[in-house]
């Protein structure tokens, strides 16, 4: 199988280039990550992040034939050849397929991604009905892989100002939690021409999410909350 | 070469559940703490835990911590230390409620309380009816927990060193631990992190096996560092093989599937577990179930053209239960086994999963090692928690959902202990002059090696050797051969060569350094297993099929220097309650 992979090592390369690899895959090399591990066993300079190899840790997000996805849960069968692999778009490249995610995590941190509840905790659990808990489904499962945010043109233009789909999905995760008391403060934090409202419902995020989550829908719900509190 | 140096009150290596629970305790107490992790914290392997965290909340069936303690002692095949087990089970409810207060999104029962499901080895009334003890967030409990702990640490302003790898411990002449050397992956810089307390929470080492549920990062770094610094490794022969890894791939299929009512079938469509565990059936302890699967395969009742796996059936649970309680399992089955479990059973096989052994500690998380006064002597300044530690609450076999409990209880306990210890020892001890000599020599060897062997190739040899010689059932001749083969692998590890010499994010160098750690774990495992002439928990010897309490009711201690073994007694005395004396273990 033929791969064309983005290479850049600032320690020795003046500029990035694409390198072709032809590899004979074994039947057990079912996922793209298996193929990359095989390539790396021959060329150990190929650099990428990976860990769980089952789509829950979010390490091996990359741009695969023009679409963002996780290498570990992308079957090699059916990929157009040469399989073109590039780092996630819109973030600075550290080396090869490894990007600097500082801005992504700054935006995540900016939404105060933790439960705020200033009541003294009860002796046992805080109660939450199954219906209230169901509000978190499709939201809490985010793995922070950045496939969505780095597929979003609004984030590409304003990565320092626009929270981006992953951060906003998590903002909604706490707005939607019946145990959280900081709803007004959270909405204030997003009431800004850029932070929330740069989302123009392009919906690349929905297309890119390897976990099947829908950040656009969550963003729509936050916008609804904004409207409701002004009327 | 001048090496940068930084000073902290505490340095934690590892940002999984155990490391982050400890970090939270320290940050909230206002200590200056550095948490190092090879990966961004939410990518740590806790994220892959599925089924739940054990606590006798009694939300579904009547329950109490003492029953949980009994089950854990029995599950450990009586090798667990009963003081630590009492400590853990007594605190379980409190730490789970605390996680809920932190915001962890547990599933809920109709009355609004935390959802619980049954898991293997859980009983009411000391071996009676099945208990329902595992608190769950669908089948993504580890993910929910890890993200919650990261979030809480963001709130507490914990200082993380992300994509830093611990290299070696720094000890002085008295044996006190004074910090670590570490490598910043992005720049290739080595730094000394000096600390009054050094806590290892580096997780497991399942990557010593060819077929493993474990992540690539699970390379036993803490164990390698400890072993090289003269700290023994405890009970390394005890590895849990999870009964249900996806056949041919190894990805974990949670025991929660059986907890929710799924069951195993052989090629004749027989529910074979009732032959092996008439009472608990599919919810017997994992060691029992893994041996049953292996026996079915060995006796020709496996499925598929090679008769080398079994089937896990859950379609009878219905689409609603599967989508609500086991959505992640469905996703994994579709992606990795190409079956939708709503319609078809999942092909499964036993797969290396969890290391019961580790760095010996007491229940405060303090590392203990024989020095002058006995095997329980505290190593000043050194702490370990979670899978890398052997406290020992799991003994010879861990019960499902006790690991998430272990990391939270002992992460918190170690944090509290460090806070106390630092009040008595408020100053850094001076570093020895040779603090970095050995690690720099190791790095220089790797950089300058000529004509050495490829890291991936040696790694494969290591994993295949462990898989063939130290699996679910163990044979005297295979173990004996295994000791010499893994010794040969160790010689090859010392000669590895990397092609990539870049300073920037050099993952080839990281993998070579990880192999140094894997081989320590593999050696400890094989040597300890070869010596233990009995069957107990996950250590099943073909030539010694019975447990032998007269000779072997004791913990193994493996010392890397000379590959020497020693033993120490099991702590059979709990903190307050009566001891559970060893008795035959049936399910």
């Amino acid at each position: 199988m033929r791969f064309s992979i983005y290479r850049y090592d600032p320690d020795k390369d003046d500029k990035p280039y694409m390198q072709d690899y032809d590899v004979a895959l074994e039947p057990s090399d079912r996922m793209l990550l298996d193929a990359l591990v095989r390539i790396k066993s021959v060329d150990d300079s190929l650099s990428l992040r990976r860990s769980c190899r089952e789509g829950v840790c979010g390490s091996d997000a990359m741009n695969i034939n023009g679409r963002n996805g996780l290498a570990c849960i992308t079957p090699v069968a059916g990929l157009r050849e040469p399989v073109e692999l590039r780092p996630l778009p819109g973030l600075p490249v550290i080396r090869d397929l490894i990007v600097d995610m500082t801005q992504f995590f700054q935006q995540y941190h900016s939404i105060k991604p933790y439960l705020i509840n200033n009541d003294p905790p009860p002796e046992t659990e805080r109660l939450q009905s199954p219906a209230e808990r169901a509000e978190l489904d499709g939201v809490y499962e985010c793995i922070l892989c950045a496939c969505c945010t780095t597929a979003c043109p609004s984030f590409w233009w304003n990565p320092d100002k626009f929270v981006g789909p992953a951060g906003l999905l998590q903002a909604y995760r706490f707005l939607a939690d019946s145990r959280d008391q900081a709803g007004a403060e959270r909405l204030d934090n997003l009431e800004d021409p850029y932070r929330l409202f740069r989302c123009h419902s392009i919906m690349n995020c929905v297309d890119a999410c390897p976990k099947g989550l829908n950040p656009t829908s969550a963003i729509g719900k936050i916008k609804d909350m904004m409207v409701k509190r002004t009327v | 070469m001048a090496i940068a140096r930084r000073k902290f009150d505490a340095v934690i290596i590892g940002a999984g559940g155990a490391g982050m629970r400890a970090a939270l305790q320290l940050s909230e107490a206002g200590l200056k703490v550095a948490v190092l992790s090879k990966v961004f914290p939410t990518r740590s392997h806790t994220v892959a835990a599925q089924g739940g965290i054990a606590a006798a909340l009694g939300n579904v069936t009547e329950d109490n911590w003492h029953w949980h303690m009994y089950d854990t002692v029995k599950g450990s095949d009586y090798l667990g230390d009963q003081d630590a087990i009492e400590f853990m089970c007594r605190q379980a409810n409190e730490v789970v409620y605390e996680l809920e207060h932190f915001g962890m999104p547990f599933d809920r029962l109709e009355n609004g309380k935390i959802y619980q499901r049954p898991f293997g080895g859980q009983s009411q009334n000391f071996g009676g009816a099945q208990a329902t003890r595992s608190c769950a967030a669908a089948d993504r409990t580890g993910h929910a927990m890890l993200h919650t702990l990261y979030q809480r640490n963001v709130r507490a302003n914990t200082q993380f060193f992300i994509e830093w790898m611990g290299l070696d411990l720094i000890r002085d002449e008295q044996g006190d631990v004074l910090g670590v050397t570490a490598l910043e992956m992005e720049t290739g810089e080595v730094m000394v992190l000096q600390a009054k307390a050094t806590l290892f929470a580096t997780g497991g080492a399942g990557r010593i096996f060819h077929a493993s549920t474990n992540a690539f990062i699970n390379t036993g770094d803490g164990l390698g560092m400890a072993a090289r610094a003269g700290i023994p490794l405890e009970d390394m022969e005890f590895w849990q093989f999870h009964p249900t890894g996806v056949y041919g791939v190894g990805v974990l299929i949670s025991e929660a599937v059986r907890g929710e009512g799924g069951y195993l079938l052989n090629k004749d469509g027989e529910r074979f577990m009732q032959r092996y565990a008439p009472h608990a059936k599919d919810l017997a302890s994992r060691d029992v179930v893994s041996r049953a699967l292996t026996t079915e395969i060995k006796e020709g009742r496996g499925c598929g053209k090679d008769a080398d796996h079994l089937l896990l059936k859950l379609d009878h649970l219905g689409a609603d239960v599967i989508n609500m309680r086991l959505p992640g399992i469905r996703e994994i089955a579709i992606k990795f086994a190409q079956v939708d479990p709503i319609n078809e059973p999942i092909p499964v096989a036993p797969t290396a999963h969890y290391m019961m052994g580790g760095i010996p500690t007491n229940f405060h998380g303090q590392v203990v090692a024989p020095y002058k006064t006995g095997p329980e002597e505290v190593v000043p300044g050194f702490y370990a928690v979670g899978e890398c530690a052997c406290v020992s609450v799991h003994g010879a076999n861990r019960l499902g959902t006790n690991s998430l409990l272990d990391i939270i209880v002992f992460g918190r306990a170690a944090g509290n202990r460090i806070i106390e210890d630092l009040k008595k020892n408020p100053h850094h001890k001076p570093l020895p002059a040779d603090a970095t000599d050995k690690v720099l020599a190791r790095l220089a060897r790797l950089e300058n090696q000529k004509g050495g062997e490829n890291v991936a190739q040696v790694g494969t040899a290591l994993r295949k050797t462990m898989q063939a010689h130290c699996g679910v059932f163990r044979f005297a001749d295979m173990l004996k051969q295994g000791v010499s083969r893994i010794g040969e692998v160790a010689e090859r590890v010392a000669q590895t060569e990397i092609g990539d010499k870049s300073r920037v994010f050099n993952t080839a160098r990281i993998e070579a350094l990880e192999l140094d750690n894997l081989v320590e774990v593999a050696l400890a495992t094989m040597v300890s297993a070869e010596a233990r002439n009995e069957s107990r928990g996950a250590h099943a010897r073909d030539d010694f099929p019975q447990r032998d309490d007269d000779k072997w009711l004791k913990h193994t201690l493996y010392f890397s220097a000379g590959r020497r073994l020693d033993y120490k007694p099991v702590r059979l005395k709990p903190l307050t309650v009566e001891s559970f004396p060893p008795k035959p273990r049936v399910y």
Side-chain angles (χ1 to χ4, degrees), chain A residues 7 9-12 28 30-31 33-34 37 40-60 72-75 94-95 98-101 104-105 108-109 112-118 121-130 133 136-137 140-146 170 173-174 177 179 210-212, chain B residues 39-40 42-45 47-48 50 57 59 97 99-114 137-140 143-144 147-148 150-152 154-155 163 186 207 212-218 248-252 324 331-332 334-338 454-456 497-508 511 514:
Chain A
R7 302 298 311 270
D9 175 3
D11 215 16
K12 66 178 179 59
S28 59
R30 292 201 39 256
M31 297 295 179
L33 180 61
D34 301 325
V37 169
K40 191 168 172 59
S41 72
V42 180
D43 176 1
D44 69 5
S45 71
L46 177 66
S47 305
L48 65 144
R49 295 188 175 105
R50 83 285 180 273
S51 183
C52 76
R53 62 83 169 84
E54 59 189 57
V56 296
C57 80
S59 295
D60 62 350
C72 62
I73 53 172
T74 300
I94 295 173
R95 181 177 174 182
I98 298 172
V99 290
D100 181 348
M101 296 184 69
F104 173 81
F105 288 119
Y108 173 60
H109 293 159
K112 299 198 176 173
Y114 41 83
L115 191 83
I116 298 175
N117 182 320
N118 293 319
E123 193 67 23
T124 62
E125 67 266 66
R126 292 193 177 99
L127 298 182
Q128 187 174 46
S129 71
R133 168 60 183 75
L136 308 183
D137 284 334
Y140 83 93
E141 300 93 326
C142 173
I143 58 173
L144 300 175
C145 66
Q170 291 312 297
R173 179 248 172 276
F174 291 99
D177 195 321
R179 301 168 295 175
K211 303 304 284 181
Chain B
V39 293
F40 185 79
T42 62
R43 319 221 188 281
S44 306
H45 198 51
V47 81
Q50 296 173 351
L57 305 184
N59 287 355
Y97 291 139
L99 286 168
E100 194 283 322
H101 300 155
F102 292 168
M104 183 164 160
F106 284 107
D107 283 8
R108 299 295 172 146
L109 298 160
E110 281 306 318
N111 64 9
K113 292 183 173 186
I114 292 171
D139 54 1
R140 306 186 180 99
H143 171 282
H147 281 253
T148 301
Y150 178 67
Q151 292 159 356
R152 193 76 181 182
V154 169
R155 178 178 175 270
E163 297 181 326
E186 187 177 335
R207 283 278 154 181
S212 167
T213 65
N214 283 202
F216 281 102
I217 55 171
N218 289 17
V249 188
V251 173
L252 175 66
M324 186 166 177
E331 198 180 323
I332 286 171
I334 291 171
K335 286 191 173 120
F336 288 97
Q338 296 89 50
N454 174 294
V455 173
E497 179 178 351
I498 52 173
D500 185 0
K501 306 288 185 184
S502 173
R503 283 170 300 181
V504 179
F505 224 111
N506 187 327
T507 49
E511 287 179 23
E514 287 174 337

Side-chain angles (χ1 to χ4, degrees), chain B residues 31-101:
Chain B
L31 294 185
K32 191 177 171 193
V33 51
V35 184
L36 275 63
S37 177
K38 289 197 288 187
V39 293
F40 185 79
T42 62
R43 319 221 188 281
S44 306
H45 198 51
T46 301
V47 81
Q50 296 173 351
I53 172 169
L57 305 184
N59 287 355
V60 177
T61 54
E62 190 191 345
D63 209 353
N64 70 61
W65 70 265
H66 202 188
W67 298 348
H68 183 190
M69 176 181 173
Y70 167 82
D71 292 339
T72 303
V73 172
K74 178 183 169 186
S76 82
D77 220 348
Y78 299 91
L79 192 69
D81 288 322
Q82 296 194 20
D83 53 351
I85 296 174
E86 178 180 341
F87 183 85
M88 178 177 82
C89 296
R90 264 185 186 277
Q91 290 201 2
N93 290 17
E94 186 185 334
V95 299
V96 167
Y97 291 139
E98 204 170 52
L99 286 168
E100 194 283 322
H101 300 155

